Amino acid sequence: MKKSITLSLIALGISFISGQTKEDSIQFNKISTEILNHGKGYEELRELTKNIGHRLSGSEAYEKSVQWAAQKLRDAGADKVWLQEVMIPVWVRGKESLHIQTSNGKWKNLKMLSLGNSEGTNGKDVSGEIIMVKSLEEYDKLPPEQVKDKIVFFNYPFNQGNVQTFISYRESGAYRRTAASLTAKKGGKFAIIRSLSSAFDDVPHTGNMRYEENIAKIPAVTIGNTTADELEVLLKNQKVIAKLNSNCGMKGEKLSHSVIGEITGKKDQSVIVVGGHLDSWDVGEGAHDDGSGIVQSIEVLRTFKKLGLQNNHTIRAVCFANEENGTKGGKQYGKIVKDHDEKHLFAIESDAGGFSPRGISLEMDDAKRNQIKSWGHLFLPYGVYNFEGKYSGSDIAPLHEMGVPTAELVPEPQRYFDIHHTAEDTFEKVNRRELLLGSTVMTQLIYMIDKNW
């Protein structure tokens, strides 16, 4: 019977030496026990969100978070901590408002947010009739004369049918990124999009948008689901005029920093990276996105030090700058690695929220993927079972392009897009045990990578 079980495990790619498995299982338990009992990530997240708050790149708050993160890495026991220079874009929201006028002639104020990196109206009122489309395909069929001088409302709802919410987010993301330039190409005045939100509420979600080159930079704003539904009903029955006044816009670039701390390898200086992004949008507190990833990464270093784990390779925590509206921190980190020919063995990012970990997404060759999947039985007691994803975070994408195996922590996804990029992303939405379990799983994985690669 025991032989048949072993053969079955081998067939599933889960071959292992029982003694080694027992040793690793004991070490996994030590890591979990230490973090769940003594982990500091939750209190550090409280400090970051309540004492500093949201941390848009280029803001004074972001610069405060740089000094905060450097100190926390020192406190965690990093052998070396430094700031990595990076030029980042500066975008400012400013005062903004969106009103609609219906057939009774009265103006109604709508809850809204400008999309990140959107240009505004220079403080002037810009108004026009709203036309609605439900999809990009529907918009493509509109002739320019129907769009000219109009406001285009892209009313594409978050697909509730996908169990994996990140699939729905990617589908909706095309509207946020492209609405402004698509509208401008046909002569429209500005774009309104339905928020990329899984929630049944009226909270607007911001996020990054992009302008195409040589296309007019017109404003793009977002509204919550309830307002979008109400506007849809109005448009089916009457003509609706919208009026936008916005002071947002790009204000050039400035010098800023990513924050890096590491524990030097005892065998060699090949690098294993764990990281998240230190910046956030300028609403809420950036707790799940991505304060959670930052404190989880710092916790990995602290745990290695606290348990006296003698890491073979250098373990480096990176708090990346400017992920939200430029990914300049990740790109600069990759450039320096390439310029210095610095060997990296592996990189993992946490940028999907501080909810309970359910998997690890693996962007690497099949041999490395299968090796990590063969450790699945070790992770199962901690609620981690999904190793099927093949995407890793945007900050470590430059490393992946250089051939470094990369990964992303996959937390439970059902609540993330209720609060993502909104004023609702606050410390109170994060559960201590869920957050620390994420730290646990990343530490366990890095322990295995360091030991076996």
Side-chain angles (χ1 to χ4, degrees), residues 15 50 58 101 150 166 242 341 407 409 424 430 445 451:
S15 60
K50 296 305 180 184
Q101 184 183 47
K150 302 291 199 309
F166 278 83
D341 195 25
L409 185 69
E424 298 294 308
V430 179
L445 177 63
K451 176 179 175 182

Side-chain angles (χ1 to χ4, degrees), residues 194-390:
R194 185 187 189 108
S195 287
L196 281 58
S197 170
S198 56
F200 287 76
D201 60 21
D202 201 32
V203 178
H205 294 225
T206 190
N208 199 21
M209 55 83 67
R210 301 170 188 166
Y211 288 115
E212 292 185 29
E213 290 187 13
N214 303 317
I215 300 296
K217 295 182 177 181
I218 65 172
V221 304
T222 179
I223 56 177
N225 283 329
T226 302
T227 292
D229 289 338
E230 292 173 352
L231 183 55
E232 178 178 354
V233 171
L234 277 175
L235 288 167
K236 287 178 178 178
N237 295 287
Q238 58 186 273
K239 177 179 177 179
V240 180
I241 304 296
K243 178 175 65 178
L244 175 67
N245 190 301
S246 167
N247 289 279
C248 67
M250 299 301 297
K251 306 297 181 184
E253 291 186 323
K254 69 177 291 187
L255 180 66
S256 191
H257 300 87
S258 297
V259 187
I260 304 173
E262 67 182 28
I263 304 172
T264 307
K266 308 302 184 289
K267 175 182 173 184
D268 60 46
Q269 275 72 62
S270 299
V271 179
I272 297 171
V273 165
V274 57
H277 64 86
L278 188 54
D279 63 308
S280 75
W281 282 111
D282 60 325
V283 291
E285 296 171 349
H288 278 287
D289 188 21
D290 185 30
S292 292
I294 291 297
V295 299
Q296 287 172 333
S297 299
I298 295 171
E299 196 85 73
V300 172
L301 297 194
R302 179 184 297 111
T303 305
F304 264 79
K305 281 288 189 176
K306 187 69 180 294
L307 294 180
L309 297 175
Q310 299 298 303
N311 48 298
N312 294 317
H313 314 291
T314 293
I315 299 174
R316 180 179 293 171
V318 184
C319 306
F320 293 99
N322 184 236
E323 188 273 348
E324 293 293 5
N325 69 323
T327 61
K328 298 292 186 180
K331 291 171 182 174
Q332 179 68 0
Y333 182 83
K335 180 181 183 301
I336 290 176
V337 167
K338 187 174 184 179
D339 289 348
H340 293 178
D341 195 25
E342 188 176 45
K343 184 178 180 181
H344 277 54
L345 293 178
F346 175 75
I348 183 170
E349 185 168 355
S350 173
D351 185 20
F355 298 107
S356 292
R358 291 290 176 256
I360 302 166
S361 180
L362 306 171
E363 195 169 11
M364 58 192 65
D365 64 43
D366 287 344
K368 288 282 194 286
R369 170 186 291 274
N370 289 334
Q371 183 181 20
I372 292 175
K373 289 173 73 172
S374 75
W375 303 332
H377 59 290
L378 292 167
F379 289 99
L380 193 57
Y382 304 92
V384 172
Y385 57 88
N386 180 7
F387 297 88
E388 301 307 313
K390 295 183 179 180

Side-chain angles (χ1 to χ4, degrees), residues 98-109:
L98 177 66
H99 293 80
I100 59 170
Q101 184 183 47
T102 57
S103 56
N104 62 13
K106 294 183 178 179
W107 289 98
K108 178 183 178 182
N109 183 49

Side-chain angles (χ1 to χ4, degrees), residues 7 51 96 109 114 136 145 156-157 168 191 217 279 328 363 387 417 425 445:
L7 289 172
N51 295 348
E96 58 187 8
N109 183 49
S114 291
L136 292 175
E145 55 267 27
Y156 182 83
S168 298
K217 295 182 177 181
D279 63 308
K328 298 292 186 180
E363 195 169 11
F387 297 88
F417 293 108
D425 185 7
L445 177 63

Side-chain angles (χ1 to χ4, degrees), residues 56 90-95 117-118 246-251 282:
L56 183 63
V90 179
W91 180 77
V92 177
R93 181 176 300 280
K95 188 177 180 181
N117 289 2
S118 172
S246 167
N247 289 279
C248 67
M250 299 301 297
K251 306 297 181 184
D282 60 325

